[in-house]
Amino acid sequence: MTSLNDEMADAQSQVNEVRNHLRQEIPELFEFDVIVGGIEYNANNNTVTITVEPSADAREQLSDRFGGVKVKIQDELTFQFQLTSTERVE
């Protein structure tokens, strides 16, 4: 029989794995360098919110991509993913 501490350690390990996976996968969605900021899970509505900020090189990368236009970057992007479950509750 596992203790509560063991179960909490397992849960924290799983959360850390998901966070590491998101930090690796999210930047690949962009054609310029970004930094994944906060990753938060909301158990009340079963969502994960991720903030993404352009890196210091993003302005130059975007300018080059669009033919030398001036690029202003002022904020971060926020994504909220709704998690779904395929488990059947009986």
Side-chain angles (χ1 to χ4, degrees):
M1 180 176 229
T2 61
S3 71
L4 180 58
N5 281 340
D6 291 338
E7 289 182 28
M8 293 297 290
D10 288 344
Q12 185 61 48
S13 176
Q14 291 174 355
V15 167
N16 289 339
E17 286 179 30
V18 170
R19 283 189 172 140
N20 289 335
H21 181 73
L22 289 171
R23 287 190 192 284
Q24 292 173 359
E25 295 291 323
I26 295 295
E28 294 179 12
L29 299 174
F30 297 88
E31 294 187 24
F32 53 92
D33 292 336
V34 296
I35 300 165
V36 177
I39 300 173
E40 298 178 17
Y41 173 68
N42 183 328
N44 292 332
N45 59 5
N46 203 27
T47 60
V48 173
T49 302
I50 301 169
T51 57
V52 178
E53 301 174 25
S55 74
D57 296 329
R59 184 183 341 229
E60 184 177 326
Q61 292 170 343
L62 288 168
S63 178
D64 290 346
R65 172 140 172 104
F66 293 110
V69 300
K70 184 177 180 180
V71 176
K72 292 174 88 176
I73 299 174
Q74 297 179 343
D75 212 346
E76 63 190 19
L77 301 169
T78 302
F79 298 92
Q80 186 175 70
F81 298 92
Q82 178 70 48
L83 303 177
T84 59
S85 175
T86 57
E87 294 180 23
R88 287 181 46 169
V89 178
E90 296 181 24

